Amino acid sequence: MIERRDVFQAIADPTRRVIIHKLAQGPLNIAQIVEDFDMSRQAIAKHIKVLKECGMISITQQGREQVCEAKIDQLDEVVDWVTKSRTLWNQRFEKLDQFLQNSKSNS
């Protein structure tokens, strides 16, 4: 069974985060993406493949060039997860604080 990639895999790598940031400014061809990195075109192509499989970018053929475009709305999944996690942890810290306050006043 092949595992489906998700947005969390896309943002897990710093190089992919930089690529997403660059593409958030507007569509770029692969050569334009590669120029800011100190790595091979093949290495960047692997990152681009992962981003595409995660649904973070789309790639269209324009003549001889492949143009990549960010699909930033996919980051909503991350925002939702962070929001839910923040709520959960805030509740836990409030309970801990209450427990500590009660322990302190009972001593």
Side-chain angles (χ1 to χ4, degrees):
M1 183 171 125
I2 297 175
E3 236 180 274
R4 180 187 163 276
R5 294 188 185 265
D6 64 18
V7 67
F8 295 96
Q9 288 174 306
I11 65 172
D13 184 274
T15 300
R16 290 194 290 270
R17 290 193 301 266
V18 171
I19 293 170
I20 293 167
H21 181 73
K22 285 181 63 135
L23 292 174
Q25 312 301 313
L28 298 170
N29 65 39
I30 293 177
Q32 291 170 313
I33 295 170
V34 171
E35 67 189 20
D36 288 338
F37 292 96
D38 187 26
M39 60 178 67
S40 70
R41 184 180 177 102
Q42 292 82 7
I44 295 297
K46 287 181 182 180
H47 286 293
I48 289 171
K49 180 181 177 191
V50 171
L51 290 171
K52 184 175 187 291
E53 290 173 355
C54 293
M56 289 297 303
I57 66 171
S58 62
I59 301 174
T60 55
Q61 194 72 34
Q62 293 182 357
R64 296 175 65 175
E65 295 182 339
Q66 291 184 318
V67 177
C68 303
E69 189 169 358
K71 296 168 71 176
I72 301 300
D73 58 322
Q74 295 295 316
L75 289 174
D76 289 346
E77 185 178 345
V78 176
V79 172
D80 292 344
W81 181 83
V82 168
T83 301
K84 289 175 186 171
S85 294
R86 179 178 288 147
T87 301
L88 174 68
W89 282 103
N90 283 339
Q91 290 170 349
R92 288 180 177 178
F93 285 130
E94 286 173 14
K95 286 180 181 179
L96 177 61
D97 188 47
Q98 289 173 353
F99 174 78
L100 294 173
Q101 291 298 328
N102 289 340
S103 296
K104 190 175 180 181
S105 59
N106 290 336
S107 326

